[in-house]
Amino acid sequence: MQPTLDLIRQATIDTPFEGEVWLVGGAVRDMLMGNPPQDDLDLVTELSSADLAHLLFDKGVSEILPVTYPRFGTAMIRVKGIDVELVTARRESYSSESRKPITEPATLQDDALRRDFTVNALFLNIHTNEIRDPLGSGFGHIVHKILQTPLNPDDTYIDDPLRMLRAIRFRWKLDFEPAEGLYESIRFNRERLNIISLERIRDELLKMLSGPNPSGALNDLLNTGLLEVFAPELSAMKGVDQGGGYHHLDVWDHTLLAIRNAKTQDPVLALAILFHDTGKPSTKFVDEHGNTRFYGHEAVSADIARTVMSRLKFPNADIDAVCLLVKNHMRLMSASKVSASAARRLIRDLGDNLDRLLDLAEADISALKPGVDAMDIPELREHLVTVTKETPKETLDSPLTGAEIMAILNLRPGKEVGRIKNQLSDMVIEGQLDFNDKNAAKQAAIDLHNREPNDEP
């Protein structure tokens, strides 16, 4: 038994809770499936969860004063650094405008009926090791790898629409098949997702992207209509033909293949791959030679990424990183070689996200038509390592700060200062100016200031 559970078991021996505490949910399911144990522990009792929580705190088992939620009959404790949720067995009812239930104490049978899926409604007694299947179907659905709701799926999804997203996530996490009617119900009830907070939708999306089959989950989001509800910009990629030059798939299927090939657990990289071609539907045109083009799609894609990620309440740092990657992903797709100066620009512009850009490019290239001549990313990685050793990122900036430029040229803060500083930085990258040579940079700044911008070569 897991050490956390064993501490709770020992602390409740010779108390009213002995034999009355059951592990439920994913931990029991994964144990029966032979999956590695998880730290997400949910315990249920037909007695008072608040009383159980305070008993465990008084005995020194819980490291924190219990956090209780009387309305829902739940309590949270922490044991050996793991958060454990304690629940009073309950039945639930819902209003049409909220996924927060009205609860009342009930039996394990009632508690099983209110859970999301039958395979998550199995109970393990932490004292006797008895396993109980109140619905009579949980064991069978694990054996036959079927995902089903305890109630009619319409009732389950109407009560808690988040379970529509969870159905897709669990389908691919567990490699199960959805029961008959499960997905049809999602399509019918998809607009109900609008009552769910965008943060919760974001979290489910991230779990899908880090799961074992993110492309399968994304395709289910598209086909059930859920994607259209919270990110129609993504579903717009479906069916957009890319022509026969470099591509053999439409924009959507190309994106799914790139995600599948990346096999990444990095959410920023996964999101960058997901958004990298979202600008193609609105920028597509066919030139006079009959070639399909998407000029400027990378900038439009970055704007879409910012819009959707902001809508889903992603942290600003993640939004900025994804947009930087998306906006720059074509820099590695249009040239067979990268010069030393171009490499230095990449190092300067991408900073800590350079490896991610290379991973994005590699995933993008892997989803092109087989046999297409494209950038050799492993070779480029070696080239960038060499350039970085020769010219570290911190030496690829202007020798003069903005304040120094203002003092030398008697300028006030403004666009002219930024223009000169950027051009000094470009001169360093091109090898025309040494990063440590402030005297040469001072003269260059004077020359640049005296030269009208439209006079520059």
Side-chain angles (χ1 to χ4, degrees):
M1 180 175 286
Q2 190 175 16
T4 298
L5 289 176
D6 194 49
L7 279 176
I8 296 173
R9 181 190 65 80
Q10 293 182 44
T12 48
I13 292 174
D14 294 329
T15 75
F17 292 98
E18 183 174 0
E20 299 293 336
V21 181
W22 301 78
L23 180 67
V24 66
V28 181
R29 177 201 69 223
D30 286 345
M31 180 191 70
L32 293 173
M33 293 180 65
N35 295 333
Q38 56 178 285
D39 290 339
D40 185 13
L41 300 178
D42 295 316
L43 298 175
V44 63
T45 178
E46 292 181 333
L47 304 177
S48 166
S49 62
D51 289 349
L52 174 58
H54 286 288
L55 170 71
L56 294 172
F57 177 72
D58 292 342
K59 289 198 170 190
V61 175
S62 177
E63 300 162 359
I64 61 169
L65 185 67
V67 181
T68 59
Y69 304 91
R71 176 184 171 185
F72 303 115
T74 63
M76 184 69 70
I77 61 173
R78 184 171 300 145
V79 183
K80 297 183 75 66
I82 296 174
D83 289 339
V84 180
E85 185 175 38
L86 310 176
V87 180
T88 301
R90 69 194 193 214
R91 65 173 61 91
E92 298 176 342
S93 59
Y94 292 80
S95 71
S96 61
E97 302 302 322
S98 174
R99 66 180 292 267
K100 293 182 179 180
I102 301 168
T103 67
E104 58 179 312
T107 64
L108 290 184
Q109 176 77 25
D110 295 313
D111 197 83
L113 286 170
R114 67 148 181 112
R115 294 190 175 270
D116 51 5
F117 306 107
T118 57
V119 295
N120 292 338
L122 297 163
F123 298 79
L124 168 67
N125 192 293
I126 68 170
H127 297 95
T128 66
N129 287 325
E130 174 194 356
I131 298 179
R132 191 174 292 181
D133 182 5
L135 303 176
S137 56
F139 284 124
H141 286 163
I142 285 178
V143 171
H144 296 291
K145 305 186 76 172
I146 295 173
L147 192 68
Q148 178 60 293
T149 54
L151 302 172
N152 179 294
D154 286 344
D155 295 332
T156 296
Y157 298 150
I158 289 172
D159 284 348
D160 186 354
L162 187 68
R163 289 173 175 174
M164 293 188 287
L165 293 174
R166 288 169 60 84
I168 292 173
R169 175 164 65 86
F170 276 116
R171 183 252 174 112
W172 292 105
K173 175 182 178 179
L174 303 175
D175 193 25
F176 279 18
E177 284 299 315
E180 184 178 354
L182 195 77
Y183 271 22
E184 289 77 8
S185 180
I186 293 177
R187 293 186 192 99
F188 183 76
N189 293 290
R190 61 185 182 274
E191 293 297 334
R192 179 82 172 142
L193 191 67
N194 284 313
I195 74 167
I196 298 298
S197 74
L198 292 165
E199 292 89 344
R200 288 185 176 273
I201 293 174
R202 174 201 64 205
D203 292 345
E204 287 296 322
L205 176 63
L206 284 173
K207 289 174 183 177
M208 292 180 201
L209 289 175
S210 65
N213 196 331
S215 60
L218 287 166
N219 219 27
D220 280 0
L221 286 175
L222 176 79
N223 292 331
T224 57
L226 288 176
L227 197 61
E228 181 73 25
V229 174
F230 67 87
E233 298 89 344
L234 293 172
S235 58
M237 291 188 284
K238 182 62 178 177
V240 178
D241 180 71
Q242 303 192 77
Y246 290 93
H247 293 278
H248 62 302
L249 301 170
D250 73 7
V251 179
W252 174 254
D253 289 330
H254 164 80
T255 299
L256 294 192
L257 182 56
I259 289 173
R260 187 182 311 131
N261 291 343
K263 298 177 181 177
T264 181
Q265 294 296 303
D266 177 359
V268 169
L269 175 59
L271 288 162
I273 298 172
L274 178 60
F275 284 105
H276 81 282
D277 278 347
T278 49
K280 283 190 170 181
S282 62
T283 59
K284 178 181 177 179
F285 76 97
V286 178
D287 66 19
E288 64 274 17
H289 303 294
N291 299 312
T292 302
R293 305 293 189 190
F294 304 94
Y295 290 140
H297 80 272
E298 60 272 26
V300 177
S301 297
D303 289 342
I304 291 173
R306 185 170 298 279
T307 296
V308 176
M309 291 182 69
S310 297
R311 179 189 307 146
L312 296 178
K313 313 297 185 184
F314 277 88
N316 288 334
D318 289 348
I319 295 174
D320 290 343
V322 169
C323 291
L324 177 70
L325 293 167
V326 171
K327 191 170 184 177
N328 285 278
H329 80 273
M330 290 301 294
R331 290 175 69 169
L332 302 182
M333 302 296 287
S334 57
S336 58
K337 296 289 183 181
V338 173
S339 66
S341 60
R344 288 192 288 268
R345 289 182 191 279
L346 282 170
I347 293 167
R348 178 196 65 183
D349 296 345
L350 273 297
D352 294 337
N353 284 292
L354 181 56
D355 283 338
R356 282 174 169 154
L357 184 68
L358 294 169
D359 291 337
L360 169 55
E362 197 162 38
D364 198 5
I365 289 169
S366 76
L368 297 177
K369 181 188 293 185
V372 167
D373 185 25
M375 172 71 69
D376 186 333
I377 299 298
E379 181 181 301
L380 176 58
R381 289 183 193 276
E382 294 181 8
H383 179 46
L384 288 169
V385 168
T386 300
V387 174
T388 301
K389 288 179 180 178
E390 295 172 352
T391 52
K393 177 180 180 296
E394 56 271 18
T395 67
L396 296 178
D397 202 355
S398 164
L400 301 176
T401 66
E404 289 172 327
I405 293 171
M406 287 188 287
I408 292 168
L409 301 175
N410 193 27
L411 293 175
R412 298 177 64 84
K415 292 182 179 180
E416 176 68 358
V417 177
R419 180 183 76 85
I420 292 172
K421 188 171 185 292
N422 287 337
Q423 292 196 354
L424 291 176
S425 175
D426 286 343
M427 292 174 68
V428 172
I429 287 172
E430 295 293 340
Q432 301 169 3
L433 186 64
D434 189 283
F435 173 74
N436 294 310
D437 193 342
K438 285 186 176 289
N439 287 330
K442 178 180 178 180
Q443 184 58 53
I446 294 170
D447 292 342
L448 288 168
H449 180 56
N450 290 335
R451 184 189 308 157
E452 293 295 329
N454 57 5
D455 291 338
E456 292 167 16

